[in-house]
Amino acid sequence: MALCAPIQKLSPASSLSNGNNTTPRRTRKNETMLVRMTASSDVGSVRGGTAGTTQMGWRDTSLSSCCSSHFLQAHLHSSSSLALDKFLSGFLFHFSSISAEKNNIPWREMSEEILESDVYKEMESVQNPSTVYPDYYLSPFHAYDEGNLSWLAAAEAEAADLSMTRRAIPFASSVDEANRIMRGTWLEIIKQHHQQYSGEIRDILDIGCSVGVSTGFLAHYFHSAKVTGLDLSPYFLAVAQYKEKRGTPRKNPISWIHANGEDTGLPSKSYDLISFSYVLHECPERAIIGLLREAFRLLRHGGTIALNDIAPKSKTLQELSPVLFTLMKSTEPFLDEYSLTDLEGRMKEVGFVNIKSVLTDPRHRTVTASVPHTNKSMFTLHSAAYSIFCEVVLVCDCILYNSL
């Protein structure tokens, strides 16, 4: 388990000013000058998972330790480990973007459309300058030196998400069909769980919402609910708000909050549903526990938590070639911690009940659980006892009054 490290403050928007309080529009070419490829994780990288479909767990397999060993040896024998990191990340990033284009996902066009737009104007309204960033969030990952704290990462996030979805549903005839299948299954699992253990969904919080893809699906599916997207990256939130403003108007517009999901500052028992989509595998275990605790605090009695992410015991993942497995691990810094975390056990420790893990697709799972309801039977018992007590007191008063 990783030890707790200090947290830091950062004001990413301060780096955007060019002296005239205006932000230069960046193309992919000049933005790339600022974003060097280092060892990190990429949203569009290879992901694994069929929950519970293999006899060999992540901890038991020799593949992970073998790849880690070879990767370490490569570092030791390399004249520059940083050069190796750059090569691996750069290769995987290039592979992801080329693969996306071949699958009819216009990665470059989508990112340039954002970078050349007025998205920069949204930063001021979404950014919370007092937000405190955990140390792990400031590390290079997602194939960017700045991690999620950059315009290029935000501009390419949706294309990377579509690319991941397309790979997860290879039998789909198109990207749109893959999205409908994958997201539809996820939403139906959430709906069934909440209907079984609770009632109406009025307020939804999407923690780690990125550029709002999952948030939009939640708002469309639960159209009568008030939906809020929360993320640590103001860049991602700026893109989310920019795209939402230019989309079809909603009866209940989505709200965006720049905050740490482990310490949101939001009122307790404010939501019926809290969702995490592809968030936890990018966090150390201590952060996962913090996110679970905060979600538990924010949910109302009977509320539902839904965790959609990689299925660690995936047969698909276990059968990856050593080369692809090594590449994946080199760009997912917390993948081992996530995979070795007993997620269901941690949820139970926090206080969640009715924990269920369901396969969403051959690579991913959705884990749902509930916050316990108030014990109505105990409340009824206490109310009856109180009524009897009141009657006894009344009788005693009458006896005392008559004796006087």
Side-chain angles (χ1 to χ4, degrees):
M1 182 186 298
L3 297 176
C4 231
I7 50 182
Q8 303 179 31
K9 271 192 176 183
L10 181 70
S11 180
S14 62
S15 64
L16 304 178
S17 175
N18 63 3
N20 299 316
N21 293 325
T22 59
T23 304
R25 299 188 182 188
R26 293 172 177 160
T27 63
R28 179 184 178 87
K29 181 177 180 180
N30 54 29
E31 179 76 5
T32 305
M33 297 295 291
L34 302 176
V35 184
R36 297 179 299 279
M37 303 300 178
T38 58
S40 58
S41 66
D42 177 45
V43 176
S45 63
V46 180
R47 297 182 176 183
T50 331
T53 59
T54 175
Q55 296 295 321
M56 180 167 50
W58 186 279
R59 188 184 298 272
D60 304 317
T61 178
S62 60
L63 180 59
S64 179
S65 58
C66 178
C67 288
S68 293
S69 175
H70 282 293
F71 187 55
L72 178 59
Q73 290 178 23
H75 271 267
L76 293 175
H77 290 89
S78 172
S79 59
S80 171
S81 62
L82 179 59
L84 178 61
D85 288 343
K86 288 183 177 181
F87 170 76
L88 290 173
S89 295
F91 175 81
L92 186 54
F93 178 83
H94 181 71
F95 170 80
S96 297
S97 59
I98 295 299
S99 175
E101 297 283 351
K102 288 184 177 180
N103 281 312
N104 297 317
I105 300 169
W107 183 301
R108 184 181 298 272
E109 180 182 337
M110 291 175 68
S111 61
E112 288 183 350
E113 182 181 350
I114 294 295
L115 294 172
E116 296 172 4
S117 71
D118 292 327
V119 66
Y120 310 100
K121 296 179 180 179
E122 305 294 337
M123 176 65 79
E124 184 177 358
S125 63
V126 299
Q127 186 187 23
N128 177 8
S130 64
T131 296
V132 177
Y133 293 82
D135 63 310
Y136 76 87
Y137 198 75
L138 302 176
S139 302
F141 58 98
H142 282 198
Y144 311 100
D145 239 5
E146 298 87 352
N148 290 336
L149 298 174
S150 77
W151 284 115
L152 187 59
E156 296 185 330
E158 185 175 4
D161 183 273
L162 289 173
S163 182
M164 176 272 295
T165 302
R166 190 68 181 90
R167 283 197 303 275
I169 313 292
F171 55 83
S173 60
S174 66
V175 176
D176 288 339
E177 183 184 1
N179 232 342
R180 286 194 298 270
I181 294 172
M182 186 169 169
R183 303 291 182 176
T185 304
W186 161 63
L187 292 166
E188 189 62 27
I189 289 171
I190 294 174
K191 178 183 176 181
Q192 289 179 3
H193 182 99
H194 197 79
Q195 285 182 340
Q196 182 176 356
Y197 298 107
S198 192
E200 181 184 7
I201 295 180
R202 296 167 294 167
D203 298 284
I204 300 173
L205 180 63
D206 188 21
I207 297 181
C209 67
S210 183
V211 294
V213 176
S214 56
T215 323
F217 276 99
L218 287 166
H220 180 75
Y221 193 80
F222 301 103
H223 54 85
S224 62
K226 180 181 178 183
V227 180
T228 300
L230 183 147
D231 203 272
L232 252 177
S233 172
Y235 299 87
F236 282 15
L237 291 173
V239 172
Q241 182 167 280
Y242 174 81
K243 294 178 71 67
E244 181 68 15
K245 284 181 177 180
R246 283 151 186 78
T248 304
R250 302 181 191 274
K251 178 182 177 182
N252 296 315
I254 298 174
S255 300
W256 308 102
I257 297 177
H258 178 213
N260 185 345
E262 298 177 65
D263 184 17
T264 64
L266 297 171
S268 299
K269 297 177 176 55
S270 301
Y271 297 93
D272 304 296
L273 168 63
I274 293 182
S275 171
F276 295 84
S277 289
Y278 311 109
V279 174
L280 301 189
H281 78 278
E282 294 170 0
C283 302
E285 187 178 24
R286 58 185 166 83
I288 293 175
I289 296 171
L291 291 169
L292 292 175
R293 287 174 176 167
E294 181 69 353
F296 190 86
R297 182 185 71 83
L298 293 172
L299 283 167
R300 296 181 178 120
H301 294 298
T304 298
I305 184 173
L307 312 169
N308 188 28
D309 218 308
I310 294 172
K313 295 181 181 180
S314 162
K315 181 180 179 181
T316 302
L317 185 62
Q318 296 292 338
E319 293 179 351
L320 279 179
S321 71
V323 174
L324 287 178
F325 196 87
T326 302
L327 281 171
M328 182 180 69
K329 287 190 65 174
S330 73
T331 58
E332 292 282 8
F334 302 110
L335 183 59
D336 270 345
E337 266 194 80
Y338 162 76
S339 301
L340 295 177
T341 297
D342 178 7
L343 187 57
E344 290 87 344
R346 291 301 189 186
M347 295 172 76
K348 186 176 181 180
E349 290 172 2
V350 169
F352 286 104
V353 296
N354 307 321
I355 302 171
K356 295 183 178 181
S357 182
V358 181
L359 194 68
T360 309
D361 60 69
R363 296 173 179 263
H364 305 99
R365 61 176 176 172
T366 296
V367 183
T368 52
S370 309
V371 171
H373 286 275
T374 301
N375 196 323
K376 295 182 179 180
S377 60
M378 288 297 294
F379 177 78
T380 302
L381 179 62
H382 290 163
S383 297
Y386 180 73
S387 298
I388 294 173
F389 172 76
C390 290
E391 290 179 7
V392 171
V393 171
L394 182 60
V395 170
C396 290
D397 284 344
C398 291
I399 293 175
L400 180 61
Y401 177 78
N402 290 333
S403 65
L404 296 175

